[in-house]
Amino acid sequence: MTLIDGRAIAAAITAEVTETAAKLRESGTAPTLAVLVPTDDDATAWYVRSIERAAKKVGVDCRVVQLEKPTGEDVTRELDKLSADPSVHGIICQTPLPEGVTLDDVGAHIDPRKDVDGANPVSLGRLTAGLPTYAPATAAAVLEILKREQVALSGAQVAVVGRSTVVGKPAALLLLGENATVTVCHSRTKDLSSVTKTADVLVVAVGRAHFVGADHVKPGAVVIDVGTNPTPEGGLVGDVDQAAVEGIAGSITPVPGGVGPVTTSLLLRHTVTAAQS
């Protein structure tokens, strides 16, 4: 079984983004990503710092907007301001959000032209229609990895486990765009393993540690593990039991070091692309 090196893929994307960002700066445009943080959650703070570091390396300005104990109205007001700011090219809104507020509630306040993480329902609608848009970066990372690994998708049987609007649904739409035959599985799917074992490509995004094991995987399948589940020891494990599928899967993205680094690099690529428009 081959471990797919997400860090190497991210490094290749980063090199491309760095070159484009440098040309933009030479022409007088500083590509800028605004990160709205409506929480003091430690895990969110760590992720935002990682975005800041990655942005600095490629020449993208990262503007972090921290809100202290905001209401839903505070969040939407700030997103409206960032959307109207011509110096901002990309906007992402971190979670968790204030109690009773969802990303669906506030996402519509991100200008679709700056919606580099596909949070606005308009972005998902355009993705459904096959129109140019920014897909959620994690879903885009799934497709980017498969393309960089030269996985043949046209006509392939693909199973996506998870139907969130952040990963599962948009990933399925992106894969359909590559002419794959896609089955979306979820908590109500009967006899899940009978579906996933027919898949040439298996994408797992359910947020449950080691949810997928040996009986779910077709021999030789490409497995994209989107899960990032914290362990009591402070580490991370995926939604797939990597040890259990050893010798069955043909290749797999490890956790950490798989989908995550590619997601961050694509956020920055989307920002630079937005700055070019």
Side-chain angles (χ1 to χ4, degrees), residues 197-228:
K197 285 198 79 164
T198 67
D200 305 304
V201 176
L202 176 59
V203 180
V204 188
V206 293
R208 293 176 59 183
H210 293 170
F211 179 74
V212 164
D215 59 339
H216 293 91
V217 179
K218 177 181 179 179
V222 179
V223 180
I224 307 296
D225 188 352
V226 184
T228 51

Side-chain angles (χ1 to χ4, degrees), residues 30-231:
T32 300
L33 173 66
V35 184
L36 182 62
V37 186
T39 176
D40 58 2
D41 179 74
D42 288 341
T44 300
W46 178 90
Y47 179 59
V48 171
R49 286 194 297 271
S50 73
I51 293 175
E52 287 183 286
R53 289 192 297 269
K56 185 176 181 179
K57 287 180 182 178
V58 302
V60 170
D61 291 348
C62 186
R63 185 186 305 177
V64 177
V65 180
Q66 181 77 50
L67 299 180
E68 300 297 333
K69 298 181 180 178
T71 63
E73 288 184 357
D74 294 330
V75 174
T76 56
R77 186 183 307 113
E78 194 61 44
L79 291 174
D80 287 337
K81 285 172 57 179
L82 292 171
S83 291
D85 187 339
S87 70
V88 172
H89 305 103
I91 302 169
I92 58 176
C93 182
Q94 293 301 110
T95 56
L97 291 161
E99 187 175 352
V101 179
T102 68
L103 197 54
D104 290 337
D105 297 326
V106 303
H109 291 264
I110 301 175
D111 185 332
R113 295 169 297 179
K114 302 181 180 186
D115 185 23
V116 293
D117 202 19
N120 191 318
V122 170
S123 300
L124 186 59
R126 291 182 66 85
L127 183 63
T128 302
L131 298 172
T133 192
Y134 299 111
T138 304
V142 171
L143 185 61
E144 188 77 22
I145 290 167
L146 292 169
K147 285 188 169 183
R148 299 260 177 174
E149 290 294 297
Q150 299 182 336
V151 176
L153 292 173
S154 183
Q157 295 286 335
V158 179
V160 177
V161 184
R163 55 178 170 177
S164 75
T165 55
V166 177
V167 185
K169 288 178 182 176
L173 290 167
L174 290 168
L175 290 160
L176 281 171
E178 298 298 318
N179 298 313
T181 300
V182 183
T183 303
V184 178
C185 306
H186 46 79
S187 59
R188 302 293 178 87
T189 300
K190 295 180 179 178
D191 195 6
L192 177 65
S193 63
S194 69
V195 179
T196 59
K197 285 198 79 164
T198 67
D200 305 304
V201 176
L202 176 59
V203 180
V204 188
V206 293
R208 293 176 59 183
H210 293 170
F211 179 74
V212 164
D215 59 339
H216 293 91
V217 179
K218 177 181 179 179
V222 179
V223 180
I224 307 296
D225 188 352
V226 184
T228 51
N229 306 287
T231 65

